Amino acid sequence: MGGFVTDLLAALFGGVSATASKGGRGSGWPANGPLIQPWRATSKQVCGLFPFIVGSNTALVGAPLGRALRGGGAVCADEISWFERGLISAPSAMVLGLNGLGKSSLVRRMITASAGFGVHTMVLGDIKPDYVALIEALGGQVISIEHGGAGINPLDAGNVSEAVALLEAAGKWEDRDKLVAAAHERKKDMVCSLIHIIRRTPPSDREETIVDEAIRILETYERPVVLADLLEVVRQAPAALRAAALDRGDLDHYRAVTESLEASLMALVSGRFGALFAVETTTPMMMDRCVVFDVSAFKEASEDLQAALLLACWSYGFATVEIAQTLADAGVAPRRRYKIVMDELWRILRASSGLVERIDSLTRLNRTIGVGQVMITHSMADFNALASPADRLKAAGFVERSKMLFLGGMPAREMSLLEGVFSLTEKEKDMLTSWNAPGTYDPTTGRDAPPLGMGKFLLKTSNAPGTPFQVRFVGGEAALSDTNQRWARRAQ
């Protein structure tokens, strides 16, 4: 039996068999090895075919991402499917890689597969845009934010009023109170975040307390409120705000304490941010389909405006998911699963020191509120470049809490930073840095080749060796993934 296996392996793969050594029939090396068609089956079905079986790279669970680069077979993975099967401890993923190597294409593949699994994706701020065409193709909702058009009201916490009415009708008073309290906190955090971005420093503790009390007053109004109403309440100096300002009965002292806050709110209402954040209502997000906020109109805007817009979209999206899950918990709406995509993370991190904490508060409870989360940025250097040590530590926590890490091509200097999260073998380091190589062009034939790392990623979920794979477009994916349309070659 051993001799038969040896001869068969030699015939299949071009080795020198025992028969060949005798100079008999079939001796020598074949000019070309035969193409072996791979087949997939369970170990119970193919156990008798040993040694012609190879274990799969990863569990065949989740989105089909591409063919494995090591060992053959397919690689399937997404943060929600793996979490539901107990393969990872939280439904969160991080995608790191240099520009132009296919990060968005990988995420689009995950979005498409997730839609087939019944998961609704919310792309909270598409600034290039990379996802609008896909969401449209999936029958989703596109909310376009632009100057002179739709904006985002920081004091609009989503479909709260409709949800409150449903909960009250069902007698779910405790659920209603929790939802109202959560909506209040999100509105306060959003206003303070905008002030933080426009000043590049966070509001003081006293100012945050004043904003908190002012929003509580606005929540008693029986109409939609806007930032101009918040500014007016601060100027009116009601007793609750004066107590928060610790003015000790001195109105002049109150005016001095709130002067900087008033100036910041004026800049948000009538300054360069005003057209976006002074609107009365935000376009309601549909909870039964995929949604994308198209903010590509601000592609060339200043970094702080982009950061403010993305943060507002993220806050509004998480609020909508929380409302949907609260209604499902109370039994007044169907249970839905959501994936939230947070792209261009580096834009917010650059905007101002301290914003990491705002993002951290938005994302920390993704497992609790029942939402998958995918964050996308260029590299670990985006986090390491933050000025504050506290910010760097919290930003590194984004990666540490991402139980599924997709690594694309990277420069060599990134390797030491990555090793602070997951161990990397020397082969993995060499592979990641090799994927940073540019494309090639043959002047003789006129043929070109894409960058070596195009569509290639290393999937890591622990300190164990990762799984490399390559995403290749199928069907109509290429048309939905063309992010370089303005660079398309002219027809010959």
Side-chain angles (χ1 to χ4, degrees):
M1 184 68 177
F4 167 75
V5 171
T6 303
D7 289 347
L8 187 56
L9 284 172
L12 289 174
F13 300 108
V16 179
S17 69
T19 307
S21 65
K22 299 176 183 178
R25 180 181 176 84
S27 62
W29 295 82
N32 296 292
L35 177 64
I36 307 301
Q37 179 66 38
W39 294 85
R40 185 182 298 278
T42 66
S43 57
K44 184 176 181 180
Q45 291 170 313
V46 301
C47 59
L49 295 181
F50 178 83
F52 304 110
I53 55 175
V54 178
S56 62
N57 292 275
T58 61
L60 294 180
V61 174
L65 300 181
R67 294 196 64 82
L69 297 177
R70 186 175 60 203
V75 173
C76 298
D78 69 78
E79 77 291 351
I80 294 179
S81 298
W82 278 37
F83 171 69
E84 291 179 333
R85 293 292 185 91
L87 299 176
I88 53 177
S89 59
S92 56
M94 175 75 76
V95 182
L96 299 174
L98 295 175
N99 285 342
L101 295 182
K103 297 190 301 296
S104 298
S105 297
L106 169 65
V107 176
R108 280 191 293 268
R109 172 68 63 80
M110 296 169 69
I111 291 172
T112 304
S114 294
F117 301 152
V119 176
H120 303 307
T121 296
M122 294 181 172
V123 182
L124 303 179
D126 189 3
I127 208 163
K128 290 184 180 178
D130 285 334
Y131 306 96
V132 169
L134 174 61
I135 297 301
E136 286 180 333
L138 294 174
Q141 179 188 21
V142 178
I143 301 175
S144 297
I145 308 296
E146 54 192 353
H147 288 298
I152 297 180
N153 180 1
L155 299 176
D156 180 2
N159 307 317
V160 173
S161 57
E162 295 87 346
V164 165
L166 288 172
L167 293 172
E168 288 177 347
K172 303 290 185 178
W173 304 104
E174 184 178 352
D175 291 327
R176 182 208 62 175
D177 293 342
K178 289 180 180 179
L179 186 62
V180 170
H184 171 83
E185 289 300 316
R186 287 196 184 277
K187 287 184 281 189
K188 181 190 72 174
D189 286 345
M190 191 62 246
V191 172
C192 291
S193 296
L194 290 176
I195 294 173
H196 189 161
I197 290 173
I198 206 166
R199 290 182 181 177
R200 293 189 175 272
T201 56
S204 67
D205 292 343
R206 190 183 312 192
E207 287 176 325
E208 288 207 23
T209 305
I210 293 170
V211 169
D212 181 70
E213 291 296 335
I215 291 175
R216 291 189 190 279
I217 293 173
L218 293 177
E219 287 170 345
T220 65
Y221 289 17
E222 296 182 355
R223 61 172 176 82
V225 294
V226 295
L227 282 178
D229 295 313
L230 181 63
L231 174 61
E232 185 60 28
V233 168
V234 172
R235 287 173 171 171
Q236 289 173 356
L241 268 62
R242 294 186 62 177
L246 300 175
D247 72 350
R248 307 287 194 262
D250 184 348
L251 184 59
D252 290 336
H253 182 57
Y254 172 84
R255 299 297 183 199
V257 167
T258 60
E259 181 178 7
S260 179
L261 176 60
E262 188 175 342
S264 297
L265 290 174
M266 286 177 62
L268 290 172
V269 168
S270 57
R272 57 195 174 90
F273 285 17
L276 297 174
F277 301 112
V279 296
E280 184 174 290
T281 58
T282 306
T283 302
M285 294 177 66
M286 297 181 180
M287 294 187 285
D288 62 348
R289 66 196 62 195
C290 296
V291 180
V292 58
F293 275 97
D294 180 3
V295 295
S296 57
F298 302 92
K299 188 184 306 182
E300 306 301 327
S302 61
E303 284 187 353
D304 55 352
L305 177 54
Q306 290 180 350
L309 193 54
L310 289 173
L311 197 61
C313 291
W314 294 358
S315 178
Y316 192 78
F318 272 96
T320 302
V321 169
E322 191 166 26
I323 290 169
Q325 302 295 45
T326 299
L327 293 176
D329 291 340
V332 298
R335 176 73 67 192
R336 298 184 176 98
R337 294 182 299 165
Y338 297 96
K339 178 200 300 285
I340 287 184
V341 174
M342 304 170 71
D343 205 346
E344 303 293 318
L345 180 62
W346 61 274
R347 294 181 187 272
I348 291 185
L349 297 178
R350 280 188 186 180
S352 180
S353 175
L355 281 175
V356 174
E357 186 172 352
R358 306 285 179 186
I359 304 171
D360 186 60
S361 64
L362 275 178
T363 61
R364 185 172 287 273
L365 298 178
N366 58 323
R367 182 174 62 85
T368 304
I369 65 174
V371 57
Q373 174 186 299
V374 179
M375 303 178 81
I376 309 164
T377 192
H378 295 150
S379 66
M380 290 290 292
D382 293 339
F383 308 133
N384 206 44
L386 298 173
S388 166
D391 282 353
R392 291 198 294 270
L393 185 62
K394 288 178 181 176
F398 296 156
V399 184
E400 292 169 356
R401 291 199 303 275
S402 298
K403 303 304 179 181
M404 183 174 280
L405 191 61
F406 295 96
L407 303 175
M410 291 186 175
R413 65 175 179 271
E414 282 290 311
M415 298 303 107
S416 60
L417 300 176
L418 286 170
E419 286 186 303
V421 182
F422 285 138
S423 296
L424 294 171
T425 66
E426 291 302 318
K427 286 187 177 181
E428 288 175 338
K429 295 177 188 177
D430 292 342
M431 181 167 52
L432 291 174
T433 54
S434 72
W435 289 347
N436 190 25
T440 59
Y441 173 73
D442 187 336
T444 304
T445 63
R447 294 178 180 176
D448 52 22
L452 182 62
M454 179 67 73
K456 295 178 181 177
F457 294 91
L458 177 67
L459 170 58
K460 295 280 287 187
T461 58
S462 67
N463 288 325
T467 302
F469 65 93
Q470 183 168 18
V471 179
R472 295 186 184 277
F473 293 142
V474 297
E477 273 189 310
L480 296 175
S481 299
D482 185 4
T483 57
N484 296 316
Q485 293 181 14
R486 292 186 176 180
W487 289 93
R489 295 176 179 174
R490 291 182 299 174
Q492 298 297 322

